[in-house]
Amino acid sequence: MSLVVMKFGGTSVADLNCMRNAARRVKAEIDAGNRAVVAVSAMAGVTNKLIGYVSELSDLHGGCEADSIISSGEQISSGLLALALHEIDVPARSWLAWQVPIETDGAHGKARIKNIDPSNLLTCLDGGEVPIVAGFQGIDPRGRLTTLGRGGSDTSAVALAAALKADQCDIYTDVDGVYTSDPRIVTRAQKLEKVTYEEMLEMASLGARVLQTRSVELAMNQAVRLQVRSSFEDSAGTFVVDEDEIVEQQVVSGITYSRDEAKITLVGVHDRPGAAAAVFGPLANANINVDMIVQSTASDGNSTDITFTVLKTDFEGALAVIKAFGDDLTFDDILTDQDVVKVSVIGVGMRSYAGVAQKMFETLAEKGINIQVISTSEIKISVLIAEEYTELALRALHAAYQLDAP
Ligand code: ASP
Ligand code: MG
């Protein structure tokens, strides 16, 4: 008998029919002789609606009242799913975060889970009831409700699986797994049977929107076996596993893209030791994350161009910070471009194969696509290109790395 954490995302509980479908999934797990603990998201669209109310009424985002409002979508889902289970004769009980409890820090809107005491849930299971836990929520040291950031119910599910020492954490969603690229753009994208934690972590943070990045980090650290699978189809999904579980490792496992970044260039920065620190220090202090960076010094050695990217949501903030630079940093001009896309190829196989970057650059060159910024890590290469080439670049790279479905 296994203990499985089953997480249902917003589209999997979007309406009462979906709730009934999710309930049947839970029943099937139990009929198979397993024990299940369920984590739920708010019904699709509900969290957005609640956030809309908050921002229309007040500038106080990310505060404690906001969290009490936007966490309520998950309360509704957990109650409804428990009722749907009762209707098919499966005893179930809803659990809000404070009832478990799921303890977090006090960072409203982006709280981190500190501790989950599994004993109440285990007692519930022993009593023959399926616990249905409201995801996305926590309770802080002052006893106030918190939320874990958008998409945070994935993290709730993984944290529950870790605390319960579950055998597996199944993330039920509206796609049937993790693909080599976005199937809406790359029609020959293939479903991956397995992907490593590290690759999934890169994919999640580089634009594949199947899992919240933090949930993958947690799964990796706690060795939680994850599966991403469809609520609506029976096929096996994609397993997120340790590298040594994958026998035939591809050099590249996935190609992602993100339109979330904007490019800023400071032209003719007066070059001296400390110039980069003078740019990026104030941005960091303003909580603005800088992603890709290139700096090139003019041949006279006196001035330098610094190009970097920030999230589009931080773009205006970044410009404000730059405009407030004092005499510490002088430059000739600011150039900006929001019509850019970051395309990344990801694969742990890159560690042992040379020439992966070269293939990327050649493939893009053949298509006449100019690379504006490059950044790399051990298992990924990202390039910034003009947004209009997104489709062309993804399809060409997918073919070049032999990921196309036969
Ligand atoms: N309902 C929350 C959101 O929309 C949490 C989640 O779906 O994971 O962000
Ligand atoms: Mg989600």
Side-chain angles (χ1 to χ4, degrees):
M1 179 149 91
S2 306
L3 174 58
V4 183
V5 170
M6 308 173 74
K7 183 255 164 172
F8 292 95
T11 48
S12 302
V13 292
D15 56 28
L16 295 184
N17 272 334
C18 294
M19 288 281 178
R20 291 188 187 100
N21 175 64
R24 283 193 295 272
R25 290 269 172 193
V26 177
K27 185 175 186 325
E29 198 69 61
I30 290 169
D31 289 346
N34 295 324
R35 300 202 297 169
V37 172
V38 178
V40 283
S41 233
M43 297 163 89
V46 168
T47 309
N48 284 347
K49 186 156 193 181
L50 296 170
I51 290 174
Y53 288 144
V54 173
S55 30
E56 215 179 305
L57 194 66
S58 147
D59 290 330
L60 272 181
H61 305 294
C64 128
E65 293 313 330
D67 273 354
S68 134
I69 298 158
I70 68 170
S71 64
S72 63
E74 275 70 12
Q75 172 165 356
I76 298 170
S77 296
S78 61
L80 285 174
L81 186 54
L83 285 181
L85 280 159
H86 291 170
E87 289 303 304
I88 51 172
D89 301 321
V90 178
R93 180 69 57 212
S94 63
W95 289 85
L96 299 179
W98 64 269
Q99 293 170 312
V100 175
I102 298 176
E103 295 168 27
T104 69
D105 60 20
H108 288 283
K110 49 173 194 284
R112 284 188 169 262
I113 297 176
K114 293 286 172 213
N115 186 48
I116 299 180
D117 180 348
S119 46
N120 286 331
L121 296 179
L122 290 171
T123 309
C124 179
L125 277 172
D126 290 343
E129 286 178 333
V130 180
I132 315 290
V133 183
F136 186 50
Q137 336 178 319
I139 179 173
D140 79 1
R142 298 179 309 153
R144 305 304 310 187
L145 286 172
T146 54
T147 60
L148 309 180
R150 296 312 304 269
S153 54
D154 292 335
T155 301
S156 309
V158 173
L160 283 166
L164 291 157
K165 301 192 169 43
D167 299 281
Q168 191 161 311
C169 181
D170 284 341
I171 307 283
Y172 285 88
T173 179
D174 52 1
V175 292
D176 62 353
V178 180
Y179 277 71
T180 48
S181 194
D182 185 340
R184 286 166 305 181
I185 294 180
V186 183
T187 43
R188 297 180 74 181
Q190 308 188 58
K191 185 167 81 180
L192 293 160
E193 201 182 312
K194 288 178 177 170
V195 64
T196 69
Y197 290 117
E198 279 178 288
E199 289 167 331
M200 192 64 235
L201 197 56
E202 294 284 5
M203 288 184 194
S205 52
L206 293 170
R209 291 174 201 275
V210 258
L211 287 172
Q212 196 201 30
T213 307
R214 220 200 283 166
S215 71
V216 186
E217 217 167 64
L218 191 63
M220 179 159 87
N221 293 336
Q222 303 280 330
V224 172
R225 238 182 117 74
L226 270 185
Q227 182 185 195
V228 177
R229 59 183 307 183
S230 164
S231 288
F232 308 105
E233 279 168 41
D234 274 326
S235 53
T238 300
F239 283 90
V240 187
V241 296
D242 254 346
E243 202 173 330
D244 52 19
E245 265 198 55
I246 299 184
V247 193
E248 286 263 340
Q249 183 64 55
Q250 299 284 336
V251 180
V252 167
S253 330
I255 302 174
T256 59
Y257 68 100
S258 163
R259 294 186 169 118
D260 297 343
E261 291 183 30
K263 184 178 77 162
I264 299 176
T265 302
L266 302 182
V267 181
V269 177
H270 175 63
D271 203 10
R272 57 169 174 83
V279 175
F280 298 117
L283 289 168
N285 291 339
N287 236 325
I288 293 171
N289 253 324
V290 171
D291 180 29
M292 310 173 88
I293 302 175
V294 272
Q295 175 176 352
S296 49
T297 305
S299 50
D300 63 6
N302 292 328
S303 74
T304 177
D305 291 350
I306 299 180
T307 297
F308 57 93
T309 63
V310 296
L311 285 177
K312 280 185 179 147
T313 48
D314 283 335
F315 180 70
E316 295 299 336
L319 289 184
V321 168
I322 292 166
K323 286 178 180 149
F325 285 163
D327 295 337
D328 259 5
L329 190 86
T330 51
F331 52 87
D332 298 336
D333 201 4
I334 308 179
L335 305 177
T336 63
D337 189 353
Q338 302 213 56
D339 299 324
V340 287
V341 61
K342 182 171 70 173
V343 173
S344 309
V345 301
I346 298 154
V348 291
M350 269 180 218
R351 287 202 197 103
S352 34
Y353 284 89
V356 181
Q358 183 58 18
K359 178 168 268 169
M360 183 177 202
F361 305 152
E362 273 169 16
T363 306
L364 296 174
E366 273 162 26
K367 298 287 175 194
I369 300 171
N370 187 41
I371 299 173
Q372 305 178 14
V373 189
I374 302 169
S375 73
T376 64
S377 80
E378 223 191 348
I379 66 159
K380 72 117 207 279
I381 307 154
S382 300
V383 297
L384 196 74
I385 60 173
E387 190 180 4
E388 58 186 307
Y389 296 124
T390 311
E391 284 81 8
L392 183 61
L394 286 177
R395 290 181 194 133
L397 291 168
H398 200 266
Y401 289 109
Q402 286 159 358
L403 294 171
D404 280 356

Short mmCIF file of all heavy atoms in Angstrom, two decimals, residues 24-25 31 36 52 59 89 103 151 154 170 173 186 241 254 316 334 366 387 395:
data_model
loop_
_atom_site.label_atom_id
_atom_site.label_comp_id
_atom_site.label_asym_id
_atom_site.label_seq_id
_atom_site.Cartn_x
_atom_site.Cartn_y
_atom_site.Cartn_z
N ARG A 24 -13.41 11.10 -8.79
CA ARG A 24 -13.27 9.73 -9.34
C ARG A 24 -11.81 9.31 -9.37
O ARG A 24 -11.47 8.15 -9.11
CB ARG A 24 -13.88 9.65 -10.75
CG ARG A 24 -15.40 9.60 -10.75
CD ARG A 24 -15.95 9.20 -12.12
NE ARG A 24 -15.65 10.18 -13.15
CZ ARG A 24 -16.44 11.25 -13.43
NH1 ARG A 24 -17.55 11.46 -12.75
NH2 ARG A 24 -16.09 12.09 -14.39
N ARG A 25 -10.92 10.25 -9.66
CA ARG A 25 -9.48 9.95 -9.66
C ARG A 25 -9.02 9.51 -8.28
O ARG A 25 -8.23 8.60 -8.12
CB ARG A 25 -8.68 11.20 -10.05
CG ARG A 25 -8.82 11.59 -11.46
CD ARG A 25 -7.73 10.90 -12.22
NE ARG A 25 -7.90 11.07 -13.64
CZ ARG A 25 -7.24 10.37 -14.56
NH1 ARG A 25 -6.37 9.47 -14.17
NH2 ARG A 25 -7.45 10.55 -15.82
N ASP A 31 -9.33 2.67 -4.50
CA ASP A 31 -9.76 1.33 -4.94
C ASP A 31 -8.55 0.47 -5.30
O ASP A 31 -8.60 -0.76 -5.21
CB ASP A 31 -10.71 1.43 -6.14
CG ASP A 31 -12.08 1.99 -5.72
OD1 ASP A 31 -12.35 2.04 -4.50
OD2 ASP A 31 -12.85 2.39 -6.62
N ALA A 36 -4.50 8.12 0.05
CA ALA A 36 -4.31 9.38 -0.68
C ALA A 36 -4.51 10.58 0.24
O ALA A 36 -5.42 10.60 1.07
CB ALA A 36 -5.30 9.46 -1.83
N GLY A 52 -8.02 40.66 -8.26
CA GLY A 52 -8.65 41.83 -8.89
C GLY A 52 -9.41 42.67 -7.87
O GLY A 52 -9.28 43.90 -7.85
N ASP A 59 -4.16 49.73 -2.46
CA ASP A 59 -2.79 49.60 -2.94
C ASP A 59 -1.99 48.62 -2.10
O ASP A 59 -0.83 48.36 -2.37
CB ASP A 59 -2.08 50.96 -2.91
CG ASP A 59 -2.65 51.88 -3.98
OD1 ASP A 59 -3.11 51.35 -5.01
OD2 ASP A 59 -2.65 53.10 -3.76
N ASP A 89 -19.42 8.02 -2.07
CA ASP A 89 -19.18 7.14 -0.92
C ASP A 89 -17.72 6.99 -0.51
O ASP A 89 -17.31 5.92 -0.04
CB ASP A 89 -19.79 5.74 -1.18
CG ASP A 89 -21.28 5.85 -1.42
OD1 ASP A 89 -21.93 6.67 -0.74
OD2 ASP A 89 -21.79 5.14 -2.32
N GLU A 103 2.87 25.60 8.61
CA GLU A 103 3.46 26.82 9.15
C GLU A 103 4.41 27.46 8.15
O GLU A 103 5.23 26.79 7.55
CB GLU A 103 4.22 26.51 10.45
CG GLU A 103 3.30 26.03 11.56
CD GLU A 103 4.08 25.44 12.72
OE1 GLU A 103 5.25 25.84 12.92
OE2 GLU A 103 3.52 24.59 13.42
N GLY A 151 0.79 30.00 -8.22
CA GLY A 151 1.13 28.61 -8.54
C GLY A 151 1.59 27.82 -7.32
O GLY A 151 2.07 26.69 -7.42
N ASP A 154 1.36 23.84 -5.97
CA ASP A 154 2.33 22.79 -6.29
C ASP A 154 3.29 22.60 -5.12
O ASP A 154 3.62 21.48 -4.74
CB ASP A 154 3.18 23.17 -7.53
CG ASP A 154 2.36 23.21 -8.81
OD1 ASP A 154 1.32 22.53 -8.87
OD2 ASP A 154 2.78 23.92 -9.74
N ASP A 170 1.62 13.17 -7.18
CA ASP A 170 1.08 13.30 -8.54
C ASP A 170 0.44 14.66 -8.73
O ASP A 170 -0.46 15.04 -7.98
CB ASP A 170 0.03 12.21 -8.80
CG ASP A 170 0.66 10.85 -9.04
OD1 ASP A 170 1.88 10.81 -9.35
OD2 ASP A 170 -0.05 9.84 -8.91
N THR A 173 -3.08 17.92 -13.90
CA THR A 173 -3.24 19.20 -14.55
C THR A 173 -3.94 19.04 -15.89
O THR A 173 -4.48 17.97 -16.18
CB THR A 173 -1.86 19.90 -14.65
OG1 THR A 173 -2.00 21.14 -15.29
CG2 THR A 173 -0.86 19.05 -15.42
N VAL A 186 5.53 24.09 -31.20
CA VAL A 186 6.32 23.04 -31.87
C VAL A 186 5.43 21.80 -31.95
O VAL A 186 5.32 21.05 -30.98
CB VAL A 186 7.61 22.73 -31.09
CG1 VAL A 186 8.44 21.70 -31.82
CG2 VAL A 186 8.42 24.00 -30.85
N VAL A 241 12.61 12.95 -11.77
CA VAL A 241 13.38 11.98 -10.99
C VAL A 241 14.85 12.38 -10.88
O VAL A 241 15.30 13.34 -11.52
CB VAL A 241 13.31 10.59 -11.65
CG1 VAL A 241 11.89 10.06 -11.66
CG2 VAL A 241 13.87 10.63 -13.07
N GLY A 254 14.99 19.65 -23.45
CA GLY A 254 13.88 20.56 -23.65
C GLY A 254 14.32 21.92 -24.15
O GLY A 254 15.47 22.33 -23.95
N GLU A 316 9.57 49.13 -15.54
CA GLU A 316 9.41 50.54 -15.15
C GLU A 316 10.20 50.84 -13.88
O GLU A 316 10.84 51.89 -13.75
CB GLU A 316 7.93 50.88 -14.94
CG GLU A 316 7.07 50.79 -16.20
CD GLU A 316 7.51 51.76 -17.30
OE1 GLU A 316 8.14 52.79 -16.96
OE2 GLU A 316 7.24 51.47 -18.49
N ILE A 334 20.19 55.56 -22.63
CA ILE A 334 19.54 54.29 -22.27
C ILE A 334 18.76 53.80 -23.47
O ILE A 334 17.96 54.55 -24.05
CB ILE A 334 18.49 54.45 -21.14
CG1 ILE A 334 19.06 55.19 -19.94
CG2 ILE A 334 17.95 53.09 -20.71
CD1 ILE A 334 18.02 55.36 -18.83
N GLU A 366 21.75 30.16 -39.32
CA GLU A 366 21.19 29.67 -40.59
C GLU A 366 19.82 30.27 -40.87
O GLU A 366 19.44 30.47 -42.02
CB GLU A 366 21.03 28.15 -40.55
CG GLU A 366 22.27 27.39 -40.97
CD GLU A 366 22.21 25.94 -40.51
OE1 GLU A 366 21.09 25.40 -40.33
OE2 GLU A 366 23.30 25.36 -40.32
N GLU A 387 11.47 39.00 -30.56
CA GLU A 387 10.29 38.20 -30.26
C GLU A 387 9.65 37.60 -31.51
O GLU A 387 9.12 36.49 -31.49
CB GLU A 387 9.27 39.07 -29.51
CG GLU A 387 8.13 38.26 -28.97
CD GLU A 387 7.11 39.11 -28.22
OE1 GLU A 387 7.27 40.35 -28.18
OE2 GLU A 387 6.16 38.53 -27.69
N ARG A 395 11.23 25.94 -33.44
CA ARG A 395 11.09 24.79 -34.35
C ARG A 395 12.45 24.38 -34.90
O ARG A 395 12.75 23.19 -34.99
CB ARG A 395 10.13 25.12 -35.49
CG ARG A 395 8.70 25.23 -34.99
CD ARG A 395 7.72 25.52 -36.11
NE ARG A 395 6.45 25.93 -35.53
CZ ARG A 395 5.74 26.98 -35.92
NH1 ARG A 395 6.15 27.73 -36.93
NH2 ARG A 395 4.59 27.27 -35.32
#
